[in-house]
Structure formats: C-alpha cells, structure tokens
Amino acid sequence: MELFIDTAEIEEIKSLNVTGLIDGVTTNPSLIAKSGRNILETIEEICNEVSGPVSAEVTATDFDNMILEGRKLSSIAQNVAIKVPLTFDGLRACKVFSDDGIMVNVTLCFSSAQALLAAKAGASFISPFIGRLDDIGSNGLNLISEITEIYSIYDFDTKVLAASIRSVQDIIDSAKMGADVATIPPKFLKAMYNHPLTDKGLADFLADWKKTGQTIL
Ligand code: G3P
C-alpha cells in the first residue's frame, strides 16, 4: 500500500519525509487555506520535497476554467496530480488531462457509480472519502470494497486512494480491502508505529544490555 500525507503544511511533510515512507501528498482548498500560504508556492515546495504524486486541486467548477487552472497547476512540477471534483465538468476535465498524459486525482467520491465514471475518464487516482460517509452514518469502507471489486473485474488502471481517514483502523481496513493508497493526516503516521509494548520491550532490552557492560562501538 502506498502512503500519502494529507496536508499542505510543508514542515510537517519534511519531518515525516525523512522516513522514506512517504509516497505522495494530497492537498485540497481547505488544507491550503489552513496553511495560510499561496497555493502555487506551496505546491512547488511540496513537489521539491516529495518525489511522488502531489495532488493540487482546481477551484473552478466550470470545465473551461478547470482546464486553465489544471494546466497552470500541472506546469509547477512533473509530479503534480491535478485534483478535480467528481462532477460532470470534473469528469470532462479528467478525460482531457488523462488523454494528455497528465496525472489526475478525482476527489469527493461517495459512490461506486461515481468511481466507475472516474475510471472511464482515465483518472490516475479515485478518492473515496471514508470518514465523511461514516460521519453521516453510512459505511465508507464498504465503498472502498465495492470500488476495488469493480475495478478488478474491468482491470482499470485507476488507483483507489482511500481518503478522509479518521483512524489507523481505517488505514488497515482499507489495506485489507485492497486500496492502492491511503492518504493520511500526519498524526496517523506516528499512531501507526507507536505501540506501548514496543516501548516497554525496548526499555527491557536496554536495561538487560546495560548490565553486560558491553558496547557495540
Ligand atoms: O484531502 C482529501 C480528504 O482526505 C479530506 O478528508 O478529513 O477533510 O474529510 P477530510
């Protein structure tokens, strides 16, 4: 499973990228707004830091301006993935970009029917929002499962990018269901590796080692 970080905060990205475990980054207009910074400068900095796909979302809702904005975002760096919403115009724009060989992440996906159209439009990634479905009492993970099932039947190239992650369990369950990618808030990478038994076991190892009086170096 590829792990993307879902943030526009460059320092957070840098602090985690040292692990070598970050396969990409996703941003959206809300995350850019939260950063308080210019989108073009921010996406350029992120693309310089992370070599994998960096999603930059258009803010236009009409096809013509989606194309103009998307081409501007795509020109920032070769690893920009243009993010478009799963709307009629977003699907049209996705088809144009994908036909031009440009990476597209189709976002705000909440149904398998939407995901089917995004794959037909040549999306590089589809972003089903698990958490926002769960927030309204639906079942986001069922959507991941259904999309991965449909995509496997027709051998679509579109990668399932589990998004709107609310817990480490969402990541694990998405992996179990075959999602290609999970885009996670930075705090969840730490939550993934942190375990009290690891900490205790290490302390016990080092206490016993100290008694030997030995050093390795
Ligand atoms: O960035 C896309 C998605 O991960 C947003 O998640 O937490 O705003 O529902 P959230």
Side-chain angles (χ1 to χ4, degrees):
M1 172 180 255
E2 293 177 82
L3 285 180
F4 289 9
I5 297 295
D6 196 32
T7 183
E9 305 290 347
I10 187 67
E11 292 309 318
E12 277 187 322
I13 294 167
K14 288 180 177 178
S15 70
L16 296 177
N17 200 33
V18 295
T19 62
L21 298 176
I22 307 307
D23 299 303
V25 174
T26 53
T27 70
N28 62 44
S30 299
L31 292 172
I32 294 290
K34 183 181 174 188
S35 77
R37 296 193 55 209
N38 174 276
I39 182 172
L40 303 178
E41 292 170 6
T42 301
I43 296 300
E44 183 174 15
E45 277 190 46
I46 297 173
C47 288
N48 289 335
E49 174 62 30
V50 175
S51 59
V54 175
S55 290
E57 188 163 342
V58 298
T59 58
T61 55
D62 65 293
F63 170 76
D64 290 338
N65 285 304
M66 280 181 177
I67 296 299
L68 293 174
E69 287 186 2
R71 293 202 188 283
K72 185 165 187 178
L73 292 170
S74 179
S75 70
I76 293 170
Q78 53 79 29
N79 56 322
V80 167
I82 304 170
K83 226 181 188 183
V84 296
L86 218 154
T87 61
F88 182 85
D89 285 62
L91 289 169
R92 280 187 66 195
C94 178
K95 188 72 171 70
V96 168
F97 291 135
S98 64
D99 287 350
D100 286 351
I102 298 170
M103 276 193 290
V104 184
N105 178 357
V106 179
T107 190
L108 289 168
C109 173
F110 296 97
S111 75
S112 296
Q114 287 181 318
L116 183 55
L117 292 177
K120 287 180 64 62
S124 312
F125 304 98
I126 183 68
S127 291
F129 277 32
I130 299 171
R132 296 193 192 186
L133 283 168
D134 295 348
D135 292 347
I136 63 166
S138 188
N139 188 315
L141 287 164
N142 283 350
L143 177 59
I144 297 290
S145 178
E146 199 170 65
I147 293 173
T148 53
E149 179 187 358
I150 293 168
Y151 279 17
S152 65
I153 292 168
Y154 294 97
D155 200 24
F156 285 126
D157 293 329
T158 303
K159 289 186 175 182
V160 178
L161 194 165
S164 189
I165 298 289
R166 294 284 191 274
S167 66
V168 171
Q169 196 57 50
D170 278 348
I171 303 167
I172 299 307
D173 289 340
S174 296
K176 287 163 67 177
M177 290 171 186
D180 301 286
V181 189
T183 190
I184 65 174
K187 66 182 179 182
F188 284 140
L189 190 74
K190 180 176 180 180
M192 287 179 77
Y193 70 74
N194 251 349
H195 197 292
L197 288 179
T198 303
D199 295 341
K200 182 180 184 317
L202 181 59
D204 292 346
F205 284 161
L206 297 180
D208 292 341
W209 175 252
K210 190 175 182 181
K211 294 170 189 168
T212 72
Q214 293 182 56
T215 61
I216 293 174
L217 298 179

